[in-house]
């Protein structure tokens, strides 16, 4: 039987009846629904690895829920296993919870795109996402009698291939939330249009995959602007390409809305504008509130503004004012740490593999072996020693970027791209003078603020183009270089040496106390600033590879594995104390915990922080203290059980981990039984609303 198909040029059909299930019972969890739709795509030859497709979709789910108001869910992913951009669709009976604030979903689109999907395919997929904020389209999906009818409906919204501009009139768009909670002509409840002059707003929307939420948020904001009587121009920084807003449109706007889960590209263009910022899902769920807040900010001289100088190209800061300096400094340091971690992970694991093949003694001979030998002229010890030397040397070279990357991206967080060169220079100087990790922190801050200060110096129009590429990097590097060499280098090196000596001298109760403190920090905020501070402290010592530093790394990793493993254990032993969604999260938490991904416990902590977080901290503290007491070591910065080869005293390591996991699980079970929340339903609704 023939049926409509949707194609981009000569590419295979994006959707066909074989990919559609109507009024189907695909299970009671989102994992089961995604699995069923992934198998439909696999049966139609659209993926070479159904497990990889499912894992990619679930990984996206773990970042933030894909359920939307109005009974809609759009799980989506990009993965190399996907052969062609595809849509799987299910109309569910019964409905399944995908984390939407208003309840479970009955309409589910699985959007699957290849890793390198072409622009036409990405436009088609983003067009579908935009159509889902239109009540008429959603109603038609619910009324469709056959899979062929669904294909025809999707074909209609995807033709033409190029989606409408997000800055087009909002008359053709309506938010999903408005469709379910208020008439289309309702004004935002908190806005009195008589008090708000007619003006325009600008917005940027972006999500991690850039397929769905980016474009739905854009159309939701445009429609909300229509209801408020203002024009909203949106720049979508998504996978189907981005057309930057015109400079005049930005200049005329009263305020800017950043609805993003990732960094805003070209943020300096909005410098000086009042700003309202949130994650991308809030723009879908609460577009009217965001437009209202932006209108108020445009009238409030004290409102938070995007910092920097919009006329100076990229020489302004990419940050937002209006927040405290404590918070601002934390954001700056976390930016540096987050960019440093890939160097840590790659370098640390390569070093650990080198130790596995050639032993710890390779540290003394690796450079000579790699320079003097090859596969045709093997050193003493043969191929194993040679490969161990190569891996160790690769890891050491990657690790050598640890401090420069930290300093460089701290400066980047302060002054944007003009701060990169001075920051990396400061980090290199810190390594050269022996100031290490602490020198990188201090040097990065100095470099960033020097670059920011120089960028704010007024220069003639003809010189502005030279500022971000020549003037700022040159003079900021000169300032931080001279300060590091002449003034700060030796004192910071002395502090670093003193800290190293202190760590090496730790023994007995002092070492155990340090392990307890690190364990508490790792379990406090699960990937947040406190957790990252403990982790950064541990990985900084790996370049030294002395016994004390390796113990600290073991304590940090083991303690970080406790929260997800404990929640997995608790939800398995006492499932009645947890919701269905939490029990499903508990199944995934086994693997996340074993892989040292502390964030696997976040769903439990977010839903019940007062009972869950202290319980996790108790187990993490015990594990950290036991690791330091028993002398277990670790020479790899990440990997959990998968880097067991890098663990010294492996029996003590896993015993300490097991004891801490059992204590946390017991504590959370006891807390849930004995301590009853005051308003569980309200708390649950609040968590879902913020998901």
């Amino acid at each position: 039987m023939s049926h409509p198909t949707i194609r981009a040029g000569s590419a295979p059909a994006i959707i066909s009846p074989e990919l559609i299930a109507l009024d189907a019972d695909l299970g009671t969890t989102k994992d089961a629904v995604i699995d069923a739709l992934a198998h439909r795509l696999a049966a139609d030859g659209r993926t070479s690895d159904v497990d990889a497709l499912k894992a990619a979709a679930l990984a996206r789910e773990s970042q933030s829920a894909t359920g939307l108001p109005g009974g809609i869910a759009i799980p989506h992913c990009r993965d190399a296993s996907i052969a062609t951009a595809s849509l799987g669709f299910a109309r569910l009976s019964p409905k399944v919870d995908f984390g939407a604030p208003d309840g479970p979903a009955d309409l589910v689109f699985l959007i699957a795109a290849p890793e390198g999907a072409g622009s036409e395919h990405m436009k088609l997929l983003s067009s579908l996402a935009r159509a889902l904020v239109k009540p008429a389209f959603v109603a038609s999906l619910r009324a469709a009698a056959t899979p062929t009818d669904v294909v025809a409906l999707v074909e209609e919204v995807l033709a033409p291939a190029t989606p409408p501009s997000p800055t087009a009139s909002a008359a053709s768009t309506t938010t999903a939330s408005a469709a379910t909670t208020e008439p289309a002509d309702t004004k935002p409840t908190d806005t009195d249009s008589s008090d708000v002059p007619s003006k325009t707003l600008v917005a940027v929307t972006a999500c991690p995959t850039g397929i769905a939420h980016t474009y739905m948020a854009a159309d939701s904001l445009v429609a909300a602007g229509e209801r408020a009587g203002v024009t909203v121009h949106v720049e979508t920084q998504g996978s189907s390409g981005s057309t930057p807003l015109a400079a005049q449109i930005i200049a005329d706007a009263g305020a800017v809305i950043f609805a993003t889960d990732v960094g805003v590209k070209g943020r300096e263009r909005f410098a000086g504008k009042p700003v309202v910022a949130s994650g991308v899902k809030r723009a879908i769920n609460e577009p009217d509130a965001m437009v209202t807040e932006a209108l108020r900010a445009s009238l409030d001289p004290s409102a938070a503004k995007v910092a920097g100088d919009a006329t100076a190209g990229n020489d302004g800061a990419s940050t937002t004012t209006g927040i405290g300096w404590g918070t601002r400094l934390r954001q700056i340091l976390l930016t540096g740490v987050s960019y440093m971690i890939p160097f840590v992970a790659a370098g640390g694991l390569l070093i650990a593999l080198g130790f596995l093949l050639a032993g710890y003694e390779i540290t003394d001979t690796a450079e000579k072996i790699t320079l003097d030998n090859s596969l045709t002229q093997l050193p003493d010890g043969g191929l194993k020693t040679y490969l161990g030397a190569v891996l160790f040397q690769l890891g050491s070279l990657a690790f050598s970027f640890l401090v420069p990357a930290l300093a460089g991206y701290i400066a980047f967080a302060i002054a944007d791209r003009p701060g990169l060169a001075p920051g990396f220079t400061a980090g290199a100087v810190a390594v050269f003078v022996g100031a290490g990790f602490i020198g990188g922190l201090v040097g990065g801050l100095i470099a960033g603020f020097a670059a920011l200060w120089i960028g704010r110096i007024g220069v003639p129009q003809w010189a502005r183009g030279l500022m971000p590429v020549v003037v700022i990097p040159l003079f900021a590097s000169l300032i931080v270089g001279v300060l590091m060499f002449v003034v700060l280098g030796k004192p910071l090196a002395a502090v670093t040496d003193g800290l190293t000596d202190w760590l090496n001298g730790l023994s007995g109760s002092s070492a155990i106390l340090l392990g307890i403190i690190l364990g508490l920090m790792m379990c406090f905020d699960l990937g947040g600033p406190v957790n990252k501070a403990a982790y950064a402290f541990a990985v900084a010592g790996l370049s030294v590879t002395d016994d004390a530093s390796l113990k600290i790394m073991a304590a940090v990793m083991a303690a970080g594995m406790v929260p997800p493993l404990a929640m997995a254990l608790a939800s398995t032993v006492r499932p009645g104390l947890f919701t269905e969604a939490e029990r499903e999260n508990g199944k995934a938490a086994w693997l996340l915990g074993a892989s040292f991904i502390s964030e696997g416990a976040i769903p439990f902590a977010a839903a019940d922080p007062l009972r869950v977080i202290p319980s996790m901290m108790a187990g993490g503290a015990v594990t950290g203290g036991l690791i330091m007491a028993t002398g277990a070591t670790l020479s790899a910065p990440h990997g959990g059980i998968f880097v067991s080869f890098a663990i010294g005293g492996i029996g003590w390591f896993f015993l300490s981990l097991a004891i801490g996991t059992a204590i946390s699980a017991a504590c959370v079970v006891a807390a849930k039984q004995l301590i009853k929340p005051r308003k569980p339903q309200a708390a649950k609704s609040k968590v879902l609303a913020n998901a």
Side-chain angles (χ1 to χ4, degrees), residues 357-374:
L357 291 176
Y360 286 99
E361 61 273 9
I362 198 65
T363 56
D364 299 324
T365 57
E367 182 175 354
K368 178 175 175 56
I369 290 175
T370 52
L371 291 175
D372 295 348
N373 299 94
S374 67

Side-chain angles (χ1 to χ4, degrees), residues 101 679-691:
K679 295 181 179 180
Q681 193 61 39
K684 180 179 178 183
S685 299
K686 184 177 181 180
V687 170
L688 289 174
N690 292 329

Side-chain angles (χ1 to χ4, degrees), residues 297-659:
S298 70
L299 300 173
D300 183 0
S302 64
K305 294 180 175 60
V306 181
D309 180 2
T311 67
N314 287 338
D315 55 352
S318 60
T319 60
T320 305
T321 60
I323 59 176
W325 265 108
T327 301
R328 177 75 189 108
L329 183 61
R330 183 187 67 191
Q331 292 174 342
I332 290 169
L333 296 179
L334 281 179
T335 298
V337 170
S338 66
Y339 279 102
M340 176 193 76
I341 285 176
F343 294 96
V344 172
L349 289 172
L350 285 168
I351 289 173
L353 288 171
F355 289 154
L356 176 66
L357 291 176
Y360 286 99
E361 61 273 9
I362 198 65
T363 56
D364 299 324
T365 57
E367 182 175 354
K368 178 175 175 56
I369 290 175
T370 52
L371 291 175
D372 295 348
N373 299 94
S374 67
L375 286 174
T376 59
Q377 184 180 350
L378 295 174
D380 294 340
L383 179 61
K384 189 176 179 181
T385 298
Y386 176 69
L387 292 178
V390 170
L391 291 174
F392 176 84
Q393 199 61 34
L394 280 173
S396 297
L397 291 171
F399 234 66
S400 68
F401 288 98
L402 188 156
V403 174
L406 173 70
Y409 285 102
I410 285 175
F412 171 78
I414 297 169
D416 214 301
R417 282 176 290 179
L420 277 173
F424 270 86
T425 301
V429 174
V431 173
F432 182 79
V433 300
F437 185 73
I438 297 174
L441 287 173
V442 174
L445 291 171
I446 295 173
F449 285 112
L452 183 63
W453 173 69
I454 295 170
R456 290 177 173 173
I457 296 175
V459 296
Q461 182 69 38
W462 60 266
R464 288 181 179 175
L466 295 175
M467 290 292 287
V469 294
V470 177
V471 177
I472 298 174
L474 171 63
F475 287 99
S477 297
L478 182 62
I479 290 171
V480 71
V482 170
L483 284 174
M484 289 294 290
F485 270 119
V486 177
V487 180
L488 298 173
K490 290 183 179 179
L492 290 174
V495 172
T496 300
D497 291 340
L499 180 60
T500 301
D501 293 340
W502 174 70
L503 290 175
N504 287 329
L506 281 177
S507 61
S509 59
S510 297
I512 295 172
L513 178 60
L514 178 62
I516 291 172
I517 293 172
L518 291 173
L520 291 170
M521 293 174 69
M522 288 300 296
C523 300
F524 175 69
D525 55 359
L526 305 172
V530 178
N531 172 285
K532 285 290 191 294
Y535 181 71
F537 174 69
V539 298
L542 282 183
S543 58
V544 182
T545 64
D546 57 67
D547 188 61
S549 297
L550 298 182
K551 288 179 183 178
I552 290 171
M553 189 70 250
V556 163
M557 183 179 290
M561 295 167 69
V562 165
L565 290 176
M567 299 313 301
L569 178 61
S571 60
T572 300
V573 173
R574 295 298 305 274
L577 296 174
F578 299 88
T579 66
E580 176 64 27
E582 287 175 330
R583 291 195 292 272
E584 290 300 315
N585 286 328
K587 295 175 183 177
W590 285 113
L591 179 58
L592 295 173
S595 304
F596 181 41
I597 301 176
S598 303
E599 289 84 348
I602 286 178
F604 301 92
D608 192 4
L610 295 180
R611 293 186 293 183
V612 170
I613 292 177
S615 300
M616 294 187 299
M617 292 175 68
V622 170
T623 293
L626 285 174
I627 289 288
M628 298 299 286
T630 57
T633 61
L634 176 65
S635 58
H638 215 290
I641 64 172
F642 301 103
V643 291
S644 296
F645 62 85
I647 299 174
I650 190 168
W652 288 117
F653 181 92
F654 284 112
L655 179 61
S656 301
L657 175 61
I659 292 173

Side-chain angles (χ1 to χ4, degrees), residues 5-12 14 85 87 118-131 134 154-166 211 215 239-241:
T5 58
I6 298 147
R7 299 177 180 273
S10 60
I14 281 185
L87 301 174
S119 61
E120 288 305 308
H121 271 146
M122 299 313 300
K123 288 178 182 178
L124 289 170
L125 296 178
S126 61
S127 292
L128 170 72
R130 308 175 86 130
K134 301 177 181 178
V154 176
E155 181 182 42
E156 184 178 351
V157 302
L158 297 191
T162 304
S165 166
I211 296 175
Y215 303 97
S239 296
S240 62

Side-chain angles (χ1 to χ4, degrees), residues 89-111:
F89 173 72
R91 192 169 65 204
L92 301 175
S93 180
K95 298 180 179 181
V96 173
D97 185 11
F98 274 78
D102 61 345
D106 62 328
L107 302 179
V108 180
F109 274 100
L110 174 61
I111 305 177

